Amino acid sequence: MSQLIQGVRGMHDILPEEAERWELFEELVRGWLHDYGYRPIRTPAVEFTGLFVRGVGEYTDIVEKEMYTWVDHLNGEQLTLRPEGTASCVRSVIEHSLLHAGPQRLYYHGPMFRHERPAKGRYRQFHQFGIEALGFAGPDIDAEHILMCARLWNDLGLEDDITLEINSLGSSEERALHREALIAYFELHREQLDADALRRLHANPLRILDTKNPAMQALVEAAPKLMDYLGDASRAHFEGVQSVLRDAGIPCRVNPRLVRGLDYYNRTVFEWVTDKLGAQATVCAGGRYDGLVEQLGGKPTPACGFAMGMERLLLLWSDVQNDAARPPLDVYLVHQGEQASRLAFRVAEQLRDDGFAVVLHCGGGSFKSQMKKADASCATIAVVIGDDEAIAEEVSFKPLREGGEQRRLPAAQLGEALAALLYNVEDENGSV
Ligand code: HAM
């Protein structure tokens, strides 16, 4: 036997039991997005590296050290596996002039790739549902996004596990003033900065506020607050968002140190966090990015959005959603003999025409071993066809779960009898 080539570290198989839960979750999320009028958009997993350098920001962790980037040996193009969906979505919207038709409410989902240190809730291939609203300037849409999330947590039964933090990053001019003040402040305390902070001091001092280094917490706590540099328009926008949240009864904590790890944000930013997943606390995050469309080559267009990490949400959800997610299987069809096998194929297709979920036994074997498979399949009913049934164009069937007699009847009447048994629909003879 050859040695197994295993999967890549930080990139996971999602096995059937878990994948069924994912599908249930995706279905729920799609319904929720539809109810808010969001439409799907699908973009490729690979983009030109420059899109993320320009969109996400040259000095962000994502661009500096987490991107899967390579040079296409056929034509020398520099390509990257998308680390997030916003830049791709905006590129696509600009490239296909979607904004000519007016503001857009869009969503996407799929795998994203970041070369991070793998841990519970942190993977190198992970999945996001992302929501982007382009062409909306007011605080109403920021608030809509937060309200949407709150509804989803309720629908999932996670409302007690996830809390909201928000902040305003103001405008680029306001951030520039704050940035000068920050640089001056950190210069004054240069000896307390670690290597990461020193490197960021002039390139991206805002990110120093995000440091996890315990030795720098006091320094960061006392640093000039961006909130104190916000002008009237930014303050009014932030107040507008908070007033909708108050009206809707959604509690939130204003966290002045919430700066986000991607450079495109301005004004509202928010994160939904949990204390149930250790260090990987953020299950959903986003905010406003009014400059990104122009920065990527489009006309100036206000926009905002958010993305949720599916793995993290599913880790939380599996604690409250204990029911088996496996979709019900109606029939396991057992058969033996050549003529029986022919009839079995016909019967199985006929039952599927009638809307039943049917697994047709494949691979032969004795009736006994096939019945064992039927039991293990979680089907509600076993349909049995032997050659004597086949000669008479008949089938036998037997409920597998709640006991019940084996019955034999003409193959043509099976659909009706199953409907009576499974859905309490009366069959021709009036029996249920
Ligand atoms: P982000 O904060 O980088 O934002 O990622 C959003 C969410 O994706 C995180 O809150 C987390 O749940 C999940 N996530 C991120 N990295 C990992 C990882 N390595 N493993 C597992 N889950 C992860 C964005 O990506 C922005 N594009 C969000 C956005 C959309 N902003 C505006 N529109």
Side-chain angles (χ1 to χ4, degrees), residues 369-390:
S369 74
Q370 291 192 37
M371 282 308 284
K372 269 196 190 155
K373 294 250 162 57
D375 262 331
S377 75
C378 296
T380 314
I381 287 164
V383 170
V384 182
I385 307 177
D387 272 342
D388 58 330
E389 275 111 341

Side-chain angles (χ1 to χ4, degrees), residues 226-357:
L226 177 53
M227 203 60 82
D228 297 331
Y229 290 79
L230 297 192
D232 289 346
S234 289
R235 279 178 196 279
H237 190 102
F238 196 39
E239 177 46 36
V241 177
Q242 290 181 79
S243 113
V244 178
L245 299 187
R246 277 195 299 272
D247 284 352
I250 296 177
C252 72
R253 182 171 89 89
V254 176
N255 175 1
R257 285 180 55 187
L258 182 64
V259 293
R260 307 281 298 124
L262 304 94
D263 277 354
Y264 45 63
Y265 292 108
N266 67 303
R267 291 199 172 163
T268 321
V269 287
F270 64 89
E271 288 192 356
W272 290 93
V273 295
T274 179
D275 56 10
K276 300 252 157 66
L277 295 178
Q280 316 319 315
T282 310
V283 293
C284 172
R288 183 159 279 284
Y289 51 91
D290 293 329
L292 186 62
V293 178
E294 190 180 12
Q295 208 174 317
L296 294 180
K299 294 205 180 99
T301 306
C304 68
F306 63 94
M308 45 196 183
M310 290 176 64
E311 282 82 357
R312 293 184 191 176
L313 278 171
L314 278 152
L315 276 169
L316 286 184
W317 198 43
S318 56
D319 281 347
V320 296
Q321 206 267 348
N322 295 315
D323 303 344
R326 191 169 181 172
L329 177 65
D330 299 317
V331 170
Y332 193 97
L333 211 160
V334 164
H335 55 98
Q336 201 182 42
E338 207 185 308
Q339 206 168 340
S341 169
R342 259 188 254 131
L343 177 59
F345 267 96
R346 264 198 290 128
V347 166
E349 285 303 315
Q350 182 56 53
L351 289 178
R352 292 179 190 122
D353 285 348
D354 293 343
F356 296 103

